[in-house]
């Protein structure tokens, strides 16, 4: 296979990046390299990284290392505020046949990466259903979720998609390759807009959205504004997508937390611009009211500003 994957690089060793790095290293210790700065590498090496209580010693590489082989696949697993830096870090490892997969939330990271390295390298992707949490250098999860990925249209699977599919099967990483990848991206955008933001303002783990009727209602009210916008863009999310959203939420570990809640608790800048910010912008463009997301945006930004001023 032309795109067989022998050299895999990961940018971002947070909850999701660490979970997948561990699963991929398990099948071949020489396969994975983590791209990181010298300072970050030193911190990683000085304190043991554990994934589900198992210690891991990953291979690290600094951006711009000319001795490193070109990447066959690069997984981008940072948060939105770190994306610009991550793109600069990975550029030196991209060659003609390199595949790049972004696991960021939202619907715009592929475009941002493609502007810098060429959209031809990108497969569209997102992660869904995982409940990984990172506390310092300890990563834990009960549900690895699945990676939804592919070309924009997957009625026939490309060689690139087949290569990644083969790798994920070897590493026991659950995956799904939808026929219509763009609609699938909007489904994840709808999910994140709902549960990430509701969890951040309520400071609530997944159990609240499984058993608390009012928390669930807030989550769905935010998501329904995305569904309305999707119709304006001829994507047409609907009730079946809401039902699938609820099914996924109900299957998550009750004590797990969304990435946005983890950011708020840790005092980090959140991805609210990717979610409510995008919904508000599209609402203005298409003359669609978005009061729920406007309210969530205001609350989350207030929380961030409050932490910044302390």
């Amino acid at each position: 296979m032309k795109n067989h994957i022998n050299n895999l690089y990961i940018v971002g060793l947070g909850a999701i990046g660490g979970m997948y790095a561990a699963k991929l290293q398990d099948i071949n210790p020489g396969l994975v390299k983590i791209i990181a700065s010298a300072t970050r590498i030193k911190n990683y090496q000085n304190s043991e990284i554990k994934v589900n209580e198992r210690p891991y010693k990953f291979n690290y590489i600094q951006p711009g290392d000319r001795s490193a082989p070109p990447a066959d696949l690069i997984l981008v697993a940072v948060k939105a505020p770190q994306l610009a830096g991550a793109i600069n870090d990975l550029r030196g490892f991209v060659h003609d046949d390199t595949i790049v997969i972004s696991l960021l939330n939202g619907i715009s990271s592929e475009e941002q990466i493609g502007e810098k390295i060429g959209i031809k390298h990108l497969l569209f992707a997102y992660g869904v259903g995982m409940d990984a949490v990172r506390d310092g250098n300890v990563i834990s999860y009960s549900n690895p979720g699945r990676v939804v990925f592919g070309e924009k249209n997957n009625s026939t699977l490309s060689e690139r998609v087949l290569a990644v599919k083969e790798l994920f099967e070897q590493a026991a990483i659950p995956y799904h390759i939808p026929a219509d990848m763009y609609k699938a991206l909007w489904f994840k955008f709808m999910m994140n807009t709902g549960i990430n933001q509701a969890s951040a303002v309520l400071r609530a783990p997944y159990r609240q959205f499984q058993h608390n009727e009012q928390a669930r209602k807030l989550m769905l009210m935010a998501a329904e504004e995305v569904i309305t916008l999707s119709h304006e863009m001829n994507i047409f999310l609907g009730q079946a997508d809401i039902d699938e959203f609820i099914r996924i939420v109900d299957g998550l570990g009750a004590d797990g937390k969304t990435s946005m809640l983890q950011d708020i608790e840790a005092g980090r800048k959140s991805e609210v611009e990717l979610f409510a910010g995008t919904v508000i912008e599209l609402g203005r463009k298409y003359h669609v009211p978005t009061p729920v997301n406007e309210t969530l945006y205001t609350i989350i930004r207030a929380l961030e500003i409050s932490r910044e001023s302390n």
Side-chain angles (χ1 to χ4, degrees):
M1 186 179 296
K2 180 180 177 182
N3 294 100
H4 187 74
I5 296 166
N6 296 308
N7 294 301
L8 191 158
Y9 293 68
I10 297 177
V11 188
L13 200 59
I16 304 304
M19 177 179 71
Y20 287 134
K23 292 179 78 68
L24 289 160
Q25 182 152 305
D26 284 345
I27 63 170
N28 179 358
L31 173 67
V32 179
K33 291 182 176 65
I34 309 298
I35 303 173
S37 68
T39 301
R40 196 172 290 273
I41 290 172
K42 185 177 179 180
N43 290 337
Y44 288 147
Q45 292 174 333
N46 287 341
S47 55
E48 189 175 60
I49 294 176
K50 289 186 176 181
V51 181
N52 277 0
E53 300 185 351
R54 179 177 173 183
Y56 281 86
K57 291 186 177 180
F58 295 112
N59 298 312
Y60 300 100
I61 190 165
Q62 294 183 45
D65 187 337
R66 296 182 180 275
S67 68
D72 298 313
L73 173 64
I74 299 175
L75 295 181
V76 183
V78 297
K79 296 289 184 64
Q82 290 82 48
L83 179 58
I87 295 171
N88 287 330
D89 290 349
L90 66 84
R91 291 175 73 170
F93 305 110
V94 176
H95 69 116
D96 287 347
D97 294 326
T98 299
I99 304 165
V100 178
I101 288 181
S102 168
L103 296 176
L104 272 75
N105 294 319
I107 53 176
S108 61
S109 66
E110 283 88 358
E111 181 179 340
Q112 294 175 56
I113 298 169
E115 286 177 357
K116 299 295 185 180
I117 67 168
I119 198 67
K120 69 176 184 178
H121 293 289
L122 273 294
L123 288 179
F124 295 87
Y126 65 83
V128 64
M130 57 278 295
D131 55 12
V133 175
R134 178 175 174 174
D135 182 6
N137 281 344
V138 176
I139 298 167
S140 58
Y141 68 92
S142 60
N143 189 338
R146 61 180 178 174
V147 179
V148 181
F149 76 97
E151 311 282 0
K152 277 192 174 181
N153 184 298
N154 297 293
S155 53
T156 300
L157 299 187
S158 68
E159 283 194 345
R160 304 191 309 163
V161 170
L162 289 170
V164 176
K165 174 178 178 289
E166 177 187 29
L167 177 70
F168 285 172
E169 288 173 349
Q170 291 173 358
I173 294 175
Y175 68 88
H176 173 58
I177 305 170
D180 186 343
M181 187 65 216
Y182 200 62
K183 183 176 182 181
L185 282 169
W186 266 77
F187 171 78
K188 178 61 185 299
F189 178 51
M190 178 265 293
M191 278 192 61
N192 279 327
T193 297
I195 193 164
N196 264 278
Q197 298 186 130
S199 70
V201 300
L202 297 175
R203 305 293 182 97
Y206 292 126
R207 77 156 52 78
Q208 293 298 324
F209 301 96
Q210 295 162 348
H211 304 295
N212 182 327
E213 181 180 342
Q214 295 304 312
R216 198 170 179 112
K217 181 178 179 180
L218 176 62
M219 172 186 80
L220 294 177
M221 287 170 65
E224 283 162 2
E225 291 183 349
V226 176
I227 289 179
T228 301
L229 283 168
S230 77
H231 287 241
E232 296 293 327
M233 301 183 69
N234 297 317
I235 296 168
F236 302 112
L237 297 176
Q239 186 58 48
D241 299 294
I242 287 287
D243 293 343
E244 175 66 4
F245 177 17
I246 291 170
R247 186 194 67 77
I248 290 171
V249 169
D250 286 347
L252 295 170
D255 293 326
K257 298 178 180 180
T258 67
S259 60
M260 185 175 281
L261 175 54
Q262 293 180 58
D263 289 340
I264 292 295
E265 290 182 337
R268 296 187 293 261
K269 186 171 176 57
S270 78
E271 296 179 314
V272 69
E273 296 292 346
L274 279 181
F275 305 142
T278 301
V279 171
I280 293 166
E281 181 181 347
L282 290 173
R284 290 170 180 161
K285 180 177 180 179
Y286 291 101
H287 306 290
V288 172
T290 58
V292 177
N293 277 278
E294 289 174 24
T295 302
L296 291 172
Y297 181 89
T298 301
I299 296 170
I300 293 166
R301 285 296 294 131
L303 290 170
E304 291 178 337
I305 293 168
S306 175
R307 290 296 293 265
E308 291 166 5
S309 62
N310 288 336

